Amino acid sequence: MELDTPAQVAEKYAAAGRIKTNAPLLRQLLLALLAGFFIAMGGAATNTAAHTIENVGMARVVCGLLFPFGLAMVILTGAELFTGNTLLVISVLERRTTARAVLRSWVIVYLGNAAGAVLTAAGCAFGGQLQYSGGQLAVFTMRLAAGKCALPAGNAVVLGFLCNLLVTAGVLMSLSAKSLTGRVLGAYLPVAFFVICGFEHSIANLYYIPAGLFAKTVPAYAALAAGEGLTLSALTWTNFLCKNLLPVTAGNILGGVTMGALFWYCHGAKKGGRP
């Protein structure tokens, strides 16, 4: 399998970053919406596959086998994913774009990702997709979402940081390959690791937690949860935003920027300022 060198990958991403940040707003937004949908589908698939598996280790492995195809779809369709786009720091360090342009792109892409993921969550919760196993998929979804909302903020930052070290490694590894198989495998393995380990991904959580929040408003699902003694007091929009999404997003940014800066320092062009 023919692969580009890390230096070639750095150059390739630096050039791509200039195109990304200069793209028209509507194009960025629509591609971000698509990426949010793909990542949400990864979340929906993993919840559906794992909701009846009692062995935690086995459930994590099943999720790890399935979820990475969401990122593969993002990469192969040219969609825009916020967590991957934290690598735009490479383009800034290579002086192909500006920090201001990157921040603008991050905001646009994040909002598009959020819209795609939350709309998918609403479709699953209100469209009947959570009715599997007599509604047990809905109960599983609410339990998972409540657990994420109860995560201490410090843990959320660290788990978000570790997550995006792996996601951005997957993006870079995918760029090194020239075949369809190579690009998918490059993205697949690091993402499988983060899912199996239970690290936190902000865009995935924009599906996982809203799906639980929406399910909580469906009387039949709420009755099932109450019948099983499931406590949902932590599952609120405030906890979602303040205790999970914000710290996880901060961790994702730190992880992605760290990976991008490290990769650039080691492999970027000397004209970009590397010692």
Side-chain angles (χ1 to χ4, degrees), residues 142-166:
M142 289 184 281
R143 181 183 294 111
L144 177 67
K148 287 179 175 291
C149 285
L151 192 65
N155 290 15
V157 172
V158 173
L159 295 177
F161 176 84
L162 294 172
C163 168
N164 220 29
L165 287 176
L166 289 169

Side-chain angles (χ1 to χ4, degrees), residues 247-266:
V248 169
T249 299
N252 287 167
I253 291 171
L254 289 171
V257 168
T258 298
M259 177 60 74
L262 177 63
F263 194 82
W264 171 82
Y265 184 85
C266 294

Side-chain angles (χ1 to χ4, degrees), residues 27-189:
R27 182 175 184 272
Q28 290 189 60
L29 192 60
L30 291 175
L31 289 174
L33 190 74
L34 184 63
F37 167 74
F38 286 148
I39 296 301
M41 282 290 95
T46 56
N47 277 2
T48 303
H51 78 279
T52 61
I53 301 176
E54 295 184 4
N55 183 290
V56 175
M58 183 60 68
R60 298 313 309 165
V61 169
V62 169
C63 292
L65 291 174
L66 293 175
F67 186 89
F69 288 110
L71 180 61
M73 288 190 288
V74 169
I75 290 171
L76 295 177
T77 62
E80 296 288 350
L81 182 63
F82 169 77
T83 46
N85 283 5
T86 55
L87 284 172
L88 287 171
V89 66
I90 294 174
S91 300
V92 175
L93 292 170
E94 284 285 336
R95 300 173 187 172
R96 304 294 182 89
T97 190
T98 65
R100 181 177 180 178
V102 167
L103 290 174
R104 174 181 177 272
S105 180
W106 279 357
V107 171
I108 294 168
V109 170
Y110 193 94
L111 292 175
N113 288 169
V118 173
L119 286 172
T120 304
C124 290
F126 300 128
Q129 195 272 331
L130 301 183
Q131 291 178 4
Y132 272 99
S133 305
Q136 286 304 306
L137 175 54
V139 175
F140 176 90
T141 300
M142 289 184 281
R143 181 183 294 111
L144 177 67
K148 287 179 175 291
C149 285
L151 192 65
N155 290 15
V157 172
V158 173
L159 295 177
F161 176 84
L162 294 172
C163 168
N164 220 29
L165 287 176
L166 289 169
V167 170
T168 49
V171 172
L172 293 170
M173 289 169 63
S174 177
L175 280 175
S176 72
K178 298 181 180 180
S179 67
L180 173 63
T181 301
R183 295 193 69 193
V184 171
L185 283 176
Y188 188 94
L189 294 174

Side-chain angles (χ1 to χ4, degrees), residues 26 43 153 204:
L26 182 60

